[in-house]
Amino acid sequence: MHDLKEVRTKPDYYRERLSKRDKNLTGVLDEVLLLDQKKREIQTKADELRKRKNEIAQEISRSKDDEQKTEKLKSESISISSTLANIEKEEINLSFKFSEKVLQLPNITSDDVPEGEDETKNKEILKWGNPKTEKWIKPHDEIGLKLGIFDFERGVKIAQSRFTVLLGIGAKLERALMNFMLDHAATKGYKEIFPPILVNKESMIGTGQLPKFEGDFYKCEGEFLYLVPTAEVPITNLHRDEILSPEQLPLKYCAYTPCFRREAGAASKDTRGIIRQHQFNKVELVKITTSEQSVEEHEKLTNDAEEILKKLELPYRKILLCTGDTGFSAMKCYDLEVWFPAQNKYREISSCSNFGAFQARRINIKYKPNQKDKPVFAHTINGSGLAIGRTLAAILENYQTEKGTVTVPKLLQCYLGELKEIIL
């Protein structure tokens, strides 16, 4: 959410910055400003009527001996009450429309984010590792089936398409990755959290998932509870409606959760394998920090996620997303993309975003720079550290041998009873 006072005083600035994301957003901004103006005008009108009612009550009290004047004042008060009732209904209606519309405005992007409509304008920052290109490397779903660690058919039987059963070493490798990522985060100073995987509507609105992406999430029928799409939601909301001291910041949290997404509108993409599932596991990194520290802390968090790929010796590249491809709540985002040799391409495995004060303003997380200052909104940062299923898929391709086995990365062997190779 934006600072509405600033939006009112700098509308042209916000039009220009929002249009870099999507030119249609200037129309949404104009609607927000119009509704805001109408809402404030009607609030002023209502306040004037309430003030007049109070004045009439005092005049009646002073005019008890003047029956004619008292009756006239009472008649005016009744008329005002009727008018005020209609105005208050309109006031509630305008407030609802305004709240609904203002939540549709995304964050504005940082000055150093490249301008562009889609992913073709994203900027490659670096590449790391030596990507394999051998023609004999099989896709992760094929080698996983061959090694008996994936069961796609039973996943569909139990649930529906895009749910997978992991078997034996597959299940253990998934768990090993989770533990490795949490252990890595701990060495970087992140405090581990095990949050609820059901969150309320306020939490989803606060981090920007709602109302824009309503169709992407699984909701409990009859309750305003959602299965988490990412641990970012419960962790960021840990400090909702709190004022933090600067000594506490930056707060650094990590959490493993299963994550659930309908992937609405993505039915034709990545239907094979475990790249795009409705249920997947992820370790999330979250920071709450000051405005002065947020740029540096964003870079550090991204490096923390990169280190996991380096330790696993998985080739990857780092991409700075352009304005049109940056997520709704983010002002700047790096994507880390891991190499998939069977596809001969890099695929996203982590998004590391700096949200500035956008989320904190929605959920009211503040800090006091010092005792004399008024509280100001904190900055929030998060990133996947990493998506576990995609990491597993990348290992199956990058550590595949020509004889059809998969070598276990050295750092994971201790989590698997010193297992060095996955064979039939």
Side-chain angles (χ1 to χ4, degrees):
M1 186 177 289
H2 298 289
D3 181 342
L4 293 175
K5 289 181 181 178
E6 187 176 78
V7 173
R8 288 184 203 122
T9 57
K10 298 163 59 179
D12 290 338
Y13 168 79
Y14 277 86
R15 286 190 188 96
E16 187 262 332
R17 297 309 296 265
L18 288 168
S19 68
K20 289 184 176 182
R21 278 183 171 271
D22 183 345
K23 290 181 170 49
N24 294 323
L25 288 171
T26 56
V28 178
L29 178 63
D30 289 340
E31 288 183 67
V32 167
L33 290 169
L34 181 60
L35 285 167
D36 178 55
Q37 182 182 347
K38 287 181 177 179
K39 185 165 69 78
R40 287 186 292 125
E41 285 174 356
I42 205 165
Q43 284 172 345
T44 301
K45 197 172 183 180
D47 289 342
E48 288 172 352
L49 289 171
R50 293 185 190 104
K51 181 182 177 183
R52 179 56 188 154
K53 272 198 75 174
N54 290 333
E55 290 173 350
I56 289 170
Q58 292 172 9
E59 287 181 40
I60 290 172
S61 179
R62 292 193 298 267
S63 307
K64 287 179 180 178
D65 297 334
D66 189 338
E67 188 175 337
Q68 186 177 358
K69 185 177 181 181
T70 300
E71 289 302 316
K72 186 177 179 182
L73 287 168
K74 285 180 178 178
S75 177
E76 184 184 353
S77 181
I78 291 168
S79 177
I80 288 174
S81 293
S82 176
T83 303
L84 189 58
N86 291 328
I87 284 176
E88 285 174 342
K89 285 180 184 177
E90 189 177 351
E91 192 176 12
I92 291 169
N93 186 43
L94 276 171
S95 292
F96 175 78
K97 286 182 179 178
F98 174 78
S99 297
E100 189 177 47
K101 188 61 67 173
V102 78
L103 288 174
Q104 294 176 20
L105 287 176
N107 204 350
I108 58 173
T109 50
S110 300
D111 292 336
D112 58 343
V113 171
E115 190 172 347
E117 293 183 2
D118 54 39
E119 61 187 20
T120 60
K121 299 298 182 181
N122 292 344
K123 181 181 178 182
E124 183 177 284
I125 303 299
L126 61 83
K127 283 182 179 176
W128 183 92
N130 299 305
K132 290 186 174 183
T133 56
E134 287 84 350
K135 299 298 183 184
W136 48 260
I137 296 177
K138 291 180 171 60
H140 72 277
D141 54 306
E142 286 187 26
I143 192 69
L145 283 171
K146 179 184 174 184
L147 295 173
I149 63 175
F150 292 159
D151 194 326
F152 300 113
E153 290 183 4
R154 287 188 172 89
V156 174
K157 180 168 67 174
I158 294 168
Q160 64 176 35
S161 61
R162 299 211 194 174
F163 287 87
T164 302
V165 175
L166 299 182
L167 307 169
I169 295 302
K172 289 182 179 180
L173 187 53
E174 181 98 352
R175 179 159 47 88
L177 284 165
M178 179 210 0
N179 288 327
F180 163 65
M181 291 175 192
L182 288 171
D183 289 345
H184 170 78
T187 66
K188 298 296 178 178
Y190 293 85
K191 182 177 183 179
E192 186 175 346
I193 302 292
F194 196 74
I197 61 169
L198 284 169
V199 293
N200 57 35
K201 190 173 185 178
E202 291 76 16
S203 296
M204 294 285 277
I205 290 172
T207 47
Q209 276 73 24
L210 293 180
K212 183 174 174 62
F213 305 106
E214 175 78 45
D216 287 353
F217 309 123
Y218 288 97
K219 181 181 174 183
C220 296
E221 190 173 353
E223 297 184 69
F224 287 114
L225 288 173
Y226 295 79
L227 286 166
V228 294
T230 165
E232 167 200 344
V233 179
I235 297 178
T236 308
N237 277 277
L238 282 174
H239 295 284
R240 186 169 69 204
D241 295 323
E242 292 184 19
I243 298 175
L244 307 169
S245 66
E247 293 77 20
Q248 291 175 272
L249 304 177
L251 288 167
K252 300 168 66 174
Y253 295 119
C254 67
Y256 154 76
T257 61
C259 303
F260 304 87
R261 296 181 193 173
R262 292 184 185 277
E263 300 284 3
S268 63
K269 297 175 66 177
D270 302 320
T271 54
R272 289 184 57 178
I274 59 172
I275 296 294
R276 195 180 293 272
Q277 298 275 279
H278 292 310
Q279 175 186 332
F280 57 98
N281 296 313
K282 188 153 64 82
V283 169
E284 195 76 2
L285 308 175
V286 175
K287 291 184 179 182
I288 300 173
T289 186
T290 65
S291 57
E292 293 81 9
Q293 293 174 303
S294 72
V295 171
E296 180 184 357
E297 292 298 336
H298 180 215
E299 297 294 333
K300 286 181 178 178
L301 182 142
T302 306
N303 288 338
D304 293 339
E306 288 181 70
E307 276 193 35
I308 297 172
L309 292 165
K310 289 177 179 177
K311 285 184 175 182
L312 293 173
E313 299 181 56
L314 291 171
Y316 74 94
R317 66 177 184 171
K318 178 179 177 181
I319 302 292
L320 175 59
L321 301 192
C322 71
T323 53
D325 203 29
T326 300
F328 178 84
S329 299
M331 67 179 194
K332 183 176 181 179
C333 179
Y334 294 114
D335 269 6
L336 303 181
E337 298 181 346
V338 69
W339 177 251
F340 277 85
Q343 297 182 38
N344 196 38
K345 67 188 297 187
Y346 291 94
R347 303 300 303 267
E348 179 201 335
I349 198 165
S350 175
S351 288
C352 300
S353 301
N354 187 348
F355 304 106
F358 189 81
Q359 290 181 331
R361 187 172 281 109
R362 287 166 85 113
I363 57 180
N364 195 31
I365 304 177
K366 294 181 177 180
Y367 70 97
K368 295 187 75 170
N370 58 60
Q371 290 298 322
K372 294 180 180 179
D373 290 336
K374 290 182 178 179
V376 296
F377 289 107
H379 281 207
T380 60
I381 302 162
N382 88 277
S384 304
L386 303 164
I388 299 172
R390 292 191 178 194
T391 308
L392 171 57
I395 287 171
L396 292 178
E397 293 195 13
N398 284 280
Y399 279 83
Q400 203 174 132
T401 69
E402 195 167 3
K403 61 183 179 179
T405 63
V406 173
T407 304
V408 176
K410 290 179 182 178
L411 278 170
L412 296 180
Q413 291 175 11
C414 62
Y415 293 94
L416 294 166
E418 304 304 327
L419 179 72
K420 293 180 171 57
E421 192 174 28
I422 304 172
I423 59 176
L424 279 173

